Amino acid sequence: MRLAFMGTPDFAVPALRALHQAGHEIVAVYSQPPRPAGRGKKLRPSPVQCAAEELGIAVRTPLRLRNNTDELAHFRNLHLDAAIVAAYGLILPQDMLDAPKYGCLNIHASLLPRWRGAAPIQAAILAGDSESGVTIMQMDAGLDTGAMLLRDRVALTPHTTATSLHDDLAAMGGRLIVETLRQMPRAGTPQPDTGVTYVQRLSREDGRIDWTAPASHIDRQVRALTPWPGTFTTLDGQVFKIGATAITTDMTQAVPGTVIDDSLLVACGSGTTLRITRLQRPGRGMMEAADFLRGQAISCGTRFGMEPSDA
C-alpha cells in the first residue's frame, strides 16, 4: 500500500520498520520537529525521524497541522491508501483524517476503551491491571474513540516495568499494523460504552512518593514511572530518585517513610514495608542500594519525605 507514517518517539520505530520490511510504499514520514537536548541544547531529531532517514524516506516536521492549508494540500497530493499514526503528538484535523483511501489508523498502546489518552502504558501498571495490549484503531475526531480493527494482549506481572511493557507493545504494534493492512478493507468494531478510562499527560509531580500509600501502590508507581518522569522522595531537603523497589512481607508500626533497618527497608501505609533496591542521590548516577549505602549511610529512624521544617 501507499502509506504515510506519523510518529515521534521510540515506541513508533518498530512499526515504521515493520511496514518498510513488509514492502509497503512509505512515501512520507511525519514527526515532531527536532528539539533541544543534552547539555549543549543542540537540536536533536526524533527517533522516528532518525529511523526514516536511515531508511531513505522523506521526513516532514510541521509545527502544527490545524489550519495549515499548505500541509493539508501536500498530504492530499500524496494520494495515500492509508496513514499510520503511532504516538505522533499532533492532532490531525478532520480533512487529514479523511484524505487517505482507508483513512488514518492509530497504533494505541492499550486495550481500548481502557486507557484512552496520553500515557496508557504507565497507567496500566500504576492501576495494577492484569493485562495490557495494543489496539489498531480507525481514527475519528474523538480522543482514541474510533472503531477497533485489531487487538492483541499481554499479561502484566508484579515485575512488569514501563520499560519492558513499552518494548513489548512497540513490537506488538509493528506486527499488528502489518496484519491489519493485510486484511484491508476491514470493518471496525465500535468501542463499548462501558469500561472507558482516560489518562492525562504525566508530570514530574506524579513521581513524588507518598509513603502513607500501601507498599504495593508505591512499588507499582516506581515500576510505572521509571525512567520517566521518574519517582522521587526527599531527605534533609535533597531529592533522591528511586529506581527500583521490592515489596516485603514484613509488617511494621513505624511511621510511614521511616527507614527501619540498615538496608533501606521503609515503612509504608497500612503497616506494609518496601525495600529500596536502586536509588540516586543528587549529582550522581543511579546505583544499587548496597553500593549507595557504602558511600552514604542512611540510618534506622531516618524518615523519607520530610522537609527540614518538618523534622
Side-chain angles (χ1 to χ4, degrees), residues 74-87:
H74 178 86
F75 191 75
R76 283 173 169 164
N77 287 335
L78 292 174
H79 303 294
L80 301 170
D81 291 311
I84 310 304
V85 183

Side-chain angles (χ1 to χ4, degrees), residues 130-149:
S130 62
E131 62 179 4
S132 182
V134 169
T135 304
I136 306 299
M137 176 191 68
Q138 185 81 52
M139 295 179 68
D140 61 16
L143 176 61
D144 301 327
T145 56
M148 300 179 292
L149 298 172

Side-chain angles (χ1 to χ4, degrees), residues 73-102:
H74 178 86
F75 191 75
R76 283 173 169 164
N77 287 335
L78 292 174
H79 303 294
L80 301 170
D81 291 311
I84 310 304
V85 183
Y88 177 32
L90 292 182
I91 295 175
L92 275 61
Q94 191 64 50
D95 286 344
M96 292 190 79
L97 294 176
D98 295 338
K101 179 180 179 180
Y102 298 121

Side-chain angles (χ1 to χ4, degrees), residues 9 34 36 49-50 62 140 183 213 285:
Q49 181 173 348
C50 292
D140 61 16
Q183 298 178 16

Side-chain angles (χ1 to χ4, degrees), residues 14-37:
L16 173 61
R17 294 191 182 278
L19 290 166
H20 183 267
Q21 186 174 2
H24 291 284
E25 183 186 7
I26 306 173
V27 295
V29 166
Y30 283 74
S31 193
Q32 291 273 340
R35 306 293 190 195

Side-chain angles (χ1 to χ4, degrees), residues 220-243:
R220 292 197 304 269
Q221 182 183 12
V222 172
R223 290 188 288 113
L225 303 184
T226 299
W228 189 89
T231 49
F232 66 94
T233 189
T234 55
L235 179 63
D236 297 329
Q238 292 186 311
V239 175
F240 287 74
K241 294 182 179 179
I242 307 300

Side-chain angles (χ1 to χ4, degrees), residues 30-88:
Y30 283 74
S31 193
Q32 291 273 340
R35 306 293 190 195
R39 292 184 177 181
K41 298 299 181 183
K42 293 183 179 179
L43 291 179
R44 181 180 298 173
S46 74
V48 164
Q49 181 173 348
C50 292
E53 291 174 348
E54 178 187 326
L55 296 171
I57 305 171
V59 179
R60 300 181 70 83
T61 58
L63 287 171
R64 59 180 177 83
L65 296 177
R66 285 182 170 177
N67 302 316
N68 188 337
T69 55
D70 290 342
E71 198 60 57
L72 174 60
H74 178 86
F75 191 75
R76 283 173 169 164
N77 287 335
L78 292 174
H79 303 294
L80 301 170
D81 291 311
I84 310 304
V85 183
Y88 177 32

